[in-house]
Amino acid sequence: MLDFDDSELRAQVINDFKALARNITDAEEMNRFIDAVMTTAVGTMRVLLHEVNQKTFMGRIPSEVLAAWFAYLPLNYLIDASHVCQSWRAAVLSTPALWSQLAPRTHCPPEVLRMALSRAGARPLDLKLVTRGPSISEGLYSAIAPYSRQIRYIAWHCDQTTGLWEFPAPIMECFCSSSTQIITERFLGGCAGRLRYLYLQCTQLPEECPAISTVTDLNVVLTPFDADESPSNLGGLWDLFPRLEWLQILGVIRQTAHLLPVGPAPSSLRELSVECESTDYDLMPHYLAWDNGNLGHVMLRQYSETRPNLERMARGTVRLAVKHASDTSKTRLMFEHPAGITRSICISGIGIANAAALLAAVQSSLSTVRTAMVSHIALEPLAGVLAALPDLEHLFVHIVPKTADGPTYPNQDQHSFVWTPLASLAHLALARTTRITLHVWCGDCHWPCRANADDARALLAQLRALSAALPPIEIQGFPLDAVAAVDLTGLNVRFDVAAKVGALILHKGREAHDPF
C-alpha cells in the first residue's frame, strides 16, 4: 500500500465538512448529506482515475481495436470485460457485433441472454446455448422468441424437449437440436425461408412442412437413446426434403429400420452417410434402394456379423483403399470411381481376413483398379486380392506407429514402428506394378511427432532383407534432417521429404455448418 502523510488531506476534509454541514441539525438530513458527499467523492475519483488511465498505453487503444480483441471472448468473459473500466465498457456496449454471436461456455440465465440480445441491434444472430432442465430451457426459449426474425443460426443443446419452434424465422439458415424435436407444419412460422442446415437427434416429422423444404444438409438419429421415446418417423423423408444434398442417418437398428424411407432419393442428393448400431443388420440394401444415380459419396458403418455384397460399390473402381488397425477395431473398405466418386463401408470387428474375403468375392469388379492403398499390417491377408488386380500400377502402403490407432501389434517401445509386415511385399506378384509408395504417418502420436533417423534405418534394413526385386520405392513422412545421412546403397529407394502426409482416407465427409 502507498505510504503517505494524510494529515493535510484530513485537515482539508474536516474544514470542508464543518463549512458544508454548519446548518444541519436533523440526523436524517445528516445521513443524506453524508451519502451525497460520498457519492461526489467517489465519482470525482473515478473521473480523475479515468483521466490518468487515458494517458496510459491501454487507455490510448482505439475502441475498435478493443472490440476486435473482445470478439474472441465467450459471453461471460465479455460481460466481465465490460466491468473493467470506462473505455472497455464503452467498447463492449457500443459494438453490436460482439453480441450477435453468443456461445456461453456455461449455463446462461434467461435475463442475461435477454440483455445480450438487446445489445445486438438489428444484426443477424448466431446462438449456441447449453441448458439443463425444462424450466431453464423454457426461460431461454422465451428470451430468444422476440428476436426470432434475426436468428440466422441456433444450436440448442438441451436434455429436454423445448417448445415447437413455431415463431417466424425468415433468415434462419441453420437449426441444430440435441434433444427430441417435434416439428409441426407451423415450424419456423410455417413459411419457406432460408433454412439449409438441419441437425437433429430423434425427431417427429409432419406430412408437410414448408420451412424444411429448403434444407440441403440433414442429420437425424433414427432410434433415441431413451427407450421411452419414440423413434424418428423418416418414411416421408424424400417428399419433405426435395432439395437434399447431404444426408446423415445415425442410430439405425433392426427393430426400427422399417421407418426409413423407401425408393430412390431426390436427384439432388450427392452425399450419404448411414450408421447402424445393430450387430447383425446390413445397410447395403438401403443404399442400393436410395441410389439416385447422382450420389458422389457414400459412407456406410455397420458391424461384423453382416456380410455385405460389395459388388455395386466395387464395380468400376480405379482406386481401392483398405484401412485396418487391428481385428478388434474398424476395417474401412473404400472404392474410388472416375471423377472422384467414392463408396466406403466401415465394418467394426470384422477382421482383415474376412474383409479380404469380401473383396475376393467381387474380384472381377476390381479389374479396373490402378492404385491400391492399404494399411501395412493388412498386406499379407490382402496378397491374393492385390496379386489378382490386372492393371495395378501403384501400390500405396500406409504405415502407422503402434500408438497411432491403438495397440495394433506387440511392441515394447510404445512409440516405435513395426516394419516386419512389409516382408509381405516379397510375396506379392508385383511385375505389373510400376511404383510403391510407403506412407509413414504419425498423425495421432504426441511424441515423437515425426519419424526419426533410427526409424528410417530400421525401415531400410527391412527392405534390404527382401529377396524379391521390387519396383522403385518412394518413402514419405520423414523430415529432411532424419534422412540426410541415411545410406541408400543397393536400394531403388528415394525419400520425398516434401510430400504431405495424412491419414488413409479417400474422401473427407462434409462437416456440420458452424459459424463459431
Side-chain angles (χ1 to χ4, degrees):
M1 179 179 292
L2 183 64
D3 185 20
F4 72 99
D5 184 1
D6 65 351
S7 58
E8 185 177 347
L9 177 60
R10 180 182 293 273
Q12 183 65 46
V13 170
I14 292 173
N15 184 61
D16 292 343
F17 179 81
K18 288 180 178 179
L20 293 172
R22 182 179 300 129
N23 298 322
I24 299 177
T25 58
D26 181 76
E28 185 176 347
E29 186 177 358
M30 178 61 73
N31 286 335
R32 291 198 297 269
F33 167 73
I34 292 175
D35 289 342
V37 170
M38 293 302 298
T39 300
T40 302
V42 171
T44 302
M45 289 302 299
R46 283 179 175 170
V47 171
L48 294 174
L49 287 173
H50 178 67
E51 292 175 356
V52 173
N53 287 337
Q54 290 300 98
K55 297 177 182 179
T56 66
F57 167 75
M58 292 297 292
R60 293 195 299 270
I61 298 175
S63 60
E64 58 269 22
V65 175
L66 288 172
W69 290 348
F70 298 153
Y72 294 95
L73 297 178
L75 178 59
N76 51 326
Y77 291 161
L78 183 64
I79 294 174
D80 290 342
S82 71
H83 294 161
V84 171
C85 62
Q86 289 185 13
S87 60
W88 283 31
R89 184 170 182 81
V92 170
L93 300 185
S94 64
T95 310
L98 294 176
W99 306 94
S100 62
Q101 280 198 328
L102 303 178
R105 294 181 178 177
T106 58
H107 164 63
C108 179
E111 58 273 15
V112 173
L113 180 61
R114 193 176 292 108
M115 175 277 297
L117 294 175
S118 69
R119 299 194 179 280
R123 295 181 62 88
L125 300 172
D126 298 329
L127 310 175
K128 185 182 293 185
L129 301 174
V130 179
T131 66
R132 293 292 182 268
S135 60
I136 297 174
S137 299
E138 290 297 340
L140 291 177
Y141 182 85
S142 299
I144 68 174
Y147 301 91
S148 66
R149 293 184 179 276
Q150 295 174 238
I151 298 176
R152 179 174 56 189
Y153 170 99
I154 185 158
W156 189 265
H157 301 294
C158 173
D159 57 359
Q160 300 286 335
T161 303
T162 303
L164 296 177
W165 300 90
E166 293 185 345
F167 49 54
I171 71 167
M172 184 180 288
E173 297 176 4
C174 178
F175 180 90
C176 174
S177 174
S178 65
S179 63
T180 296
Q181 188 62 55
I182 299 174
I183 294 179
T184 70
E185 187 176 348
R186 297 295 303 167
F187 182 65
L188 301 186
C191 298
R194 301 183 188 176
L195 189 64
R196 286 193 55 199
Y197 310 100
L198 189 59
Y199 308 122
L200 304 172
Q201 289 294 312
C202 191
T203 185
Q204 295 299 308
L205 298 171
E207 293 184 1
E208 295 182 6
C209 183
I212 64 176
S213 63
T214 58
V215 168
T216 59
D217 290 35
L218 173 65
N219 175 92
V220 65
V221 176
L222 177 62
T223 308
F225 293 112
D226 191 341
D228 295 333
E229 296 180 357
S230 300
S232 299
N233 55 334
L234 304 183
L237 211 61
W238 306 147
D239 294 327
L240 288 168
F241 300 93
R243 302 183 190 179
L244 209 54
E245 298 175 6
W246 176 87
L247 172 63
Q248 178 167 270
I249 302 178
L250 306 175
V252 176
I253 62 174
R254 174 181 290 278
Q255 292 84 346
T256 59
H258 65 281
L259 297 173
L260 292 169
V262 296
S267 59
S268 57
L269 187 64
R270 296 287 298 160
E271 188 162 344
L272 173 67
S273 177
V274 189
E275 182 174 308
C276 184
E277 294 183 0
S278 292
T279 59
D280 59 348
Y281 192 75
D282 185 10
L283 295 173
M284 191 66 68
H286 292 287
Y287 150 60
L288 298 179
W290 297 343
D291 193 353
N292 57 14
N294 294 324
L295 285 172
H297 307 287
V298 175
M299 177 63 187
L300 306 182
R301 299 178 183 87
Q302 55 192 61
Y303 283 85
S304 58
E305 292 182 28
T306 61
R307 289 295 183 268
N309 186 338
L310 303 179
E311 195 278 331
R312 181 84 161 263
M313 280 192 166
R315 189 191 309 156
T317 299
V318 295
R319 188 160 57 145
L320 169 69
V322 180
K323 182 178 180 180
H324 177 77
S326 71
D327 283 353
T328 59
S329 62
K330 299 174 181 178
T331 300
R332 186 169 180 176
L333 308 177
M334 297 166 272
F335 310 88
E336 182 176 282
H337 302 261
I341 293 172
T342 64
R343 302 287 186 265
S344 300
I345 184 166
C346 188
I347 309 177
S348 295
I350 189 175
I352 189 58
N354 290 327
L358 292 179
L359 292 174
V362 293
Q363 188 79 55
S364 60
S365 296
L366 300 174
S367 60
T368 53
V369 171
R370 300 289 187 273
T371 300
M373 310 172 69
V374 300
S375 298
H376 76 309
I377 62 171
L379 275 173
E380 182 177 1
L382 290 173
V385 173
L386 296 174
L389 300 177
D391 295 327
L392 182 64
E393 299 172 351
H394 184 190
L395 177 60
F396 183 106
V397 183
H398 189 252
I399 306 169
V400 299
K402 178 183 177 183
T403 55
D405 283 324
T408 303
Y409 23 67
N411 194 327
Q412 293 181 351
D413 185 348
Q414 62 176 340
H415 294 292
S416 69
F417 293 83
V418 173
W419 306 108
T420 50
L422 295 178
S424 298
L425 291 173
H427 307 299
L428 294 177
L430 297 173
R432 296 177 300 277
T433 305
T434 57
R435 61 192 174 112
I436 297 174
T437 297
L438 303 183
H439 194 250
V440 181
W441 184 58
C442 306
D444 289 344
C445 287
H446 298 292
W447 184 89
C449 296
R450 303 286 295 276
N452 58 35
D454 290 336
D455 294 319
R457 294 186 185 95
L459 169 56
L460 295 178
Q462 179 64 59
L463 295 180
R464 285 192 174 95
L466 300 181
S467 58
L470 297 175
I473 297 177
E474 178 180 275
I475 304 175
Q476 302 174 353
F478 286 86
L480 179 60
D481 58 352
V483 299
V486 173
D487 182 15
L488 297 177
T489 303
L491 292 172
N492 189 6
V493 171
R494 65 178 292 268
F495 286 95
D496 185 350
V497 296
K500 184 177 180 181
V501 177
L504 178 54
I505 189 170
L506 297 184
H507 170 72
K508 184 178 180 181
R510 188 187 303 187
E511 296 181 356
H513 174 69
D514 188 347
F516 292 92

